[in-house]
């Protein structure tokens, strides 16, 4: 009873804040800045006059390298001729401290002989189809936060221009990440590993499908049914796990309808609901190195935390960006995975503007992370890195998204996601596709939504 009272009180306080009228959409005049002095996603279009250039449209389909010839092909690097501007490691990190996340510096300190970042010229590659830009501009004048989600939004980030109180701006930034453009329907085969302190690991491979009704032009806002995406994943290797599956319905307002999840057990041939697939529940394939809401850098309901925008404007920081070499099929998993962290030779880092958002656990709430600090790319609203602190205030874990543009769409997304545990000196890697025949395929026909039902999951499993 006490827990229910606390949660209800939290929602009531949020309801009062929003009911007071503090959160309203921006004016049409303000939204008209999008695509002019601001990019269509709301970032500052001009450069900094030194090492960040102006945004001039990103990588569009007309810019695709001629060597890219089929859907799902590993991407030829459009910047293969770029040279390293500087290398930063534990010995010289103090010179660049204000442009490094705390997690990046901690990795340098934990692995002083092997972890470094190679900084390349900044390439502002974020791009999306024009219809997405049109939806973003429409959302700017209509989207609103609710106590447990967002409303009046469809087909684009809801808040390209942050506004309102500091807490509202922070929540808007997080919702922009969770509702960022990632295509309409995506299919991929990928592997993940939990690398041990010794450097040993074993692969788990899955076939994944994600359908985003939120971005489907054929689904009007009135028929969205509170769904952001449907996610379906079947394990294909190793043999002892093959056939197991996970189905997720991710909702736009989890106060109205919580996330729904089901698991299929190949041994029993049964589909069971997974109500615990929320918050800090450990992911089995990660061997406890990743929680459910760590997935995609952050996902799910944000109600356990108090949110704060650390700076009023984006700040310049080094983040992983344009990681075509790291995701190339010219590399093997053995090339990438090493003791302590992925091989520092292959990731590409660049200087970009990022929003810094801090989440602190609310009193009486429970979560393994007492505080999280998110570094969100201002151009794409993709979370690039997360610092996660334990109850004692010690930096415990660091997540990194190795971003690139899937220019055949175009869409800015991650090529690899890595979750580091500084204390155990283990790490978890998702979306390894270097040794797969294809990467993400955005060209498959969109299935009927019934394809993502528990009944369909049962039939497919059998």
């Amino acid at each position: 009873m006490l827990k229910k009272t606390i949660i209800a009180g939290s929602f009531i306080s949020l309801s009062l804040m929003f009911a007071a009228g503090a959160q309203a959409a921006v004016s049409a005049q303000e939204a008209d800045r999008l695509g002019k002095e601001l990019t269509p996603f709301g970032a500052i279009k001009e450069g900094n006059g030194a090492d960040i250039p102006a945004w001039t449209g990103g990588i569009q389909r007309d810019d695709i390298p001629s060597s890219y010839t089929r859907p799902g092909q590993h991407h030829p690097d459009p910047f293969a001729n770029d040279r390293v501007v500087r290398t930063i490691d534990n010995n010289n990190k103090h010179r660049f401290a204000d442009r490094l996340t705390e997690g990046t510096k901690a990795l340098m300190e934990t692995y002083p002989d092997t972890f470094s970042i190679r900084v390349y010229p900044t390439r502002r590659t974020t791009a999306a189809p024009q219809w997405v830009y049109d939806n973003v501009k429409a959302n700017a004048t209509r989207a609103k936060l609710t106590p447990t989600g967002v409303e009046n939004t469809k087909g684009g980030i809801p808040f390209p221009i942050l506004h309102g109180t500091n807490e509202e701006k922070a929540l808007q930034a997080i919702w922009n990440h969770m509702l960022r453009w990632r295509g309409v329907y995506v299919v991929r085969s990928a592997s993940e590993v939990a690398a041990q302190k010794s450097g040993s690991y074993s692969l788990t491979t899955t076939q994944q499908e994600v359908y985003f009704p939120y971005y489907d032009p054929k689904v009007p806002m009135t028929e969205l049914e509170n769904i952001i995406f449907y996610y379906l994943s079947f394990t294909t290797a190793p043999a002892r796990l093959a056939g197991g599956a996970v189905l997720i319905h991710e909702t736009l307002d989890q106060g109205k309808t919580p996330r729904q999840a089901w698991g299929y057990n190949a041994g029993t041939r049964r589909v069971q609901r997974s109500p615990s697939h929320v918050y800090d529940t450990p992911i089995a394939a990660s061997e406890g190195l990743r929680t459910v809401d760590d997935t995609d850098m952050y996902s799910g309901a944000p109600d356990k935390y108090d949110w704060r925008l650390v700076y009023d404007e984006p700040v310049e920081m080094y983040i992983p960006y344009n990681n075509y070499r790291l995701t190339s099929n010219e590399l093997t998993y053995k090339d990438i995975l090493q003791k302590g962290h992925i091989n520092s030779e292959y990731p590409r880092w660049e200087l970009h503007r990022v929003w810094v958002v801090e989440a602190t656990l609310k009193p009486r709430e429970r979560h393994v992370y007492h505080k999280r600090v998110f570094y969100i790319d201002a151009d794409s609203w993709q979370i690039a890195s997360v610092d996660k602190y334990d109850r004692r205030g010690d930096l415990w874990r660091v997540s990194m998204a190795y971003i690139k543009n899937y220019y055949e769409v175009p869409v800015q997304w991650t090529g690899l996601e890595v979750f580091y545990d500084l204390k155990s000196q283990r790490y978890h890697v998702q979306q390894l596709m270097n040794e797969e025949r294809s990467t993400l395929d955005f060209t498959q026909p969109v299935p009927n939504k019934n394809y993502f039902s528990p009944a369909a999951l049962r039939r497919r499993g059998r």
Side-chain angles (χ1 to χ4, degrees):
M1 180 63 71
L2 176 60
K3 183 177 180 181
K4 291 182 179 179
T5 304
I6 292 168
I7 293 173
S10 175
F11 283 168
I12 290 171
S13 65
L14 284 170
S15 299
L16 290 173
M17 179 180 74
F18 292 118
Q23 206 285 325
V26 302
S27 67
Q29 182 179 5
E30 185 76 359
D32 198 46
R33 298 172 59 205
L34 298 170
K36 295 179 180 178
E37 68 264 34
L38 300 178
T39 72
F41 282 173
I44 300 169
K45 185 180 283 189
E46 66 181 22
N48 66 359
D51 37 16
I52 295 180
W55 182 84
T56 57
I59 301 181
Q60 293 286 347
R61 295 183 68 178
D62 292 342
D63 303 316
I64 294 177
S66 59
S67 53
Y68 184 88
T69 59
R70 66 173 176 82
Q73 178 183 340
H74 288 82
H75 296 91
D77 187 351
F79 312 121
N81 294 326
D82 285 356
R83 295 292 175 259
V84 176
V85 174
R86 64 178 54 89
T87 298
I88 305 174
D89 57 22
N90 195 53
N91 294 318
N92 66 349
K93 71 178 186 296
H94 61 279
R95 293 170 48 197
F96 310 96
D98 60 340
R99 289 183 166 182
L100 296 171
T101 70
E102 293 304 313
T104 304
K105 288 184 280 191
L107 284 164
M108 291 176 178
E109 293 165 4
T110 304
Y111 307 104
D113 298 325
T114 55
F115 187 90
S116 61
I117 67 171
R118 287 158 172 77
V119 179
Y120 288 79
T122 297
R123 305 280 192 170
R124 296 181 68 182
T125 49
T126 293
Q130 184 59 48
W131 63 268
V132 173
Y133 294 155
D134 294 341
N135 288 338
V136 170
K137 191 169 185 178
N139 288 342
T141 61
R142 67 189 180 192
K144 295 183 180 180
L145 290 170
T146 71
T148 53
V150 291
E151 64 183 11
N152 301 336
T153 181
K154 174 71 169 63
I157 57 168
F159 308 108
I161 301 174
L162 304 185
H163 56 280
T165 66
N166 182 284
E167 182 180 10
E168 289 164 354
K169 290 178 181 178
L171 280 166
Q172 289 166 11
I174 289 296
W175 276 108
N176 282 348
H177 165 78
M178 292 194 285
L179 294 175
R180 70 199 186 283
W181 164 240
R182 286 168 284 179
V184 177
Y185 178 56
V186 190
V187 178
R188 69 182 170 201
S189 178
S191 294
E192 57 185 305
V193 304
Q196 305 305 313
K197 187 175 182 178
S198 64
S200 64
Y201 60 85
S202 58
L203 293 171
T204 299
T205 305
T206 57
Q207 175 73 21
Q208 304 165 13
E209 302 170 58
V210 191
Y211 168 44
F212 296 89
Y214 179 84
Y215 273 101
D216 191 340
K218 297 180 181 179
V219 179
M221 188 189 306
T222 54
E223 298 177 13
L224 198 53
E225 298 180 340
N226 199 32
I227 294 292
I228 302 173
F229 63 77
Y230 299 105
Y231 171 85
L232 178 61
S233 173
F234 275 90
T235 302
T236 57
R240 60 184 174 83
L241 300 177
V246 174
L247 172 65
I248 296 173
H249 294 182
E250 187 75 346
T251 55
L252 193 61
D253 188 329
Q254 299 206 9
K256 294 179 179 178
T257 309
R259 169 192 285 146
Q260 300 179 72
W262 297 264
Y264 174 76
N265 186 302
T268 62
R269 295 188 176 185
R270 295 184 61 186
V271 173
Q272 292 184 312
R273 201 176 187 104
S274 302
S276 62
H277 199 80
V278 291
Y279 301 119
D280 59 354
T281 301
I283 298 292
S286 75
E287 298 187 14
L289 293 169
R290 173 169 60 93
T291 64
V292 167
D293 59 8
D294 275 332
T295 303
D296 196 35
M297 299 292 108
Y298 186 81
S299 62
D303 56 289
K304 282 187 176 288
Y305 289 92
D306 289 319
W307 296 85
R308 181 174 75 92
L309 200 63
V310 178
Y311 305 103
D312 292 334
E313 299 289 339
V315 295
E316 298 175 1
M317 304 199 80
Y318 293 117
I319 57 175
Y321 223 90
N322 292 314
N323 275 280
Y324 295 98
R325 187 185 183 197
L326 178 63
T327 56
S328 167
N329 60 348
E330 296 177 1
L331 298 179
T332 66
Y333 300 151
K334 187 176 180 180
D335 293 328
I336 295 169
L337 303 170
Q338 65 174 38
K339 185 178 179 179
H341 54 85
I342 65 171
N343 194 325
S344 294
E345 179 181 349
Y346 303 118
R348 176 182 175 123
W349 293 67
E350 297 180 1
L351 185 69
H352 284 266
R353 297 185 179 108
V354 302
W355 291 99
V356 183
V357 174
E358 182 181 276
T360 304
L361 193 63
K362 292 178 178 178
R364 300 182 182 179
E365 289 284 7
R366 292 184 178 183
H367 198 289
V368 294
Y369 304 136
H370 180 75
K371 186 177 77 170
R372 297 155 116 156
V373 180
F374 301 88
Y375 303 89
I376 307 173
D377 173 38
D379 281 354
S380 65
W381 296 99
Q382 164 75 53
I383 294 174
S385 189
V386 189
D387 298 338
K388 292 167 281 191
Y389 296 80
D390 62 20
R391 293 182 180 89
R392 295 175 296 182
D394 295 331
L395 182 57
W396 175 19
R397 290 176 173 172
V398 180
S399 304
M400 288 184 176
Y402 294 82
I403 301 168
K404 72 175 186 179
N405 185 322
Y406 293 78
Y407 40 61
E408 70 274 23
V409 182
V411 58
Q412 200 88 339
W413 205 353
T414 56
L416 204 68
E417 294 178 3
V418 185
F419 305 83
Y420 294 106
D421 189 308
L422 299 173
K423 295 181 179 180
S424 69
Q425 297 188 18
R426 299 181 299 144
Y427 65 100
H428 175 58
V429 184
Q430 278 193 292
Q431 300 179 19
L432 284 162
M433 290 177 277
N434 307 73
E435 297 180 15
E436 296 291 331
R437 181 178 180 273
S438 298
T439 63
L440 277 65
D441 186 350
F442 297 88
T443 65
Q444 299 299 313
V446 177
N448 185 285
K449 68 178 182 180
N450 292 329
Y451 178 82
F452 296 96
S453 69
L457 174 63
R458 185 178 297 108
R459 289 193 297 271
R460 289 188 65 186
R462 290 176 178 173

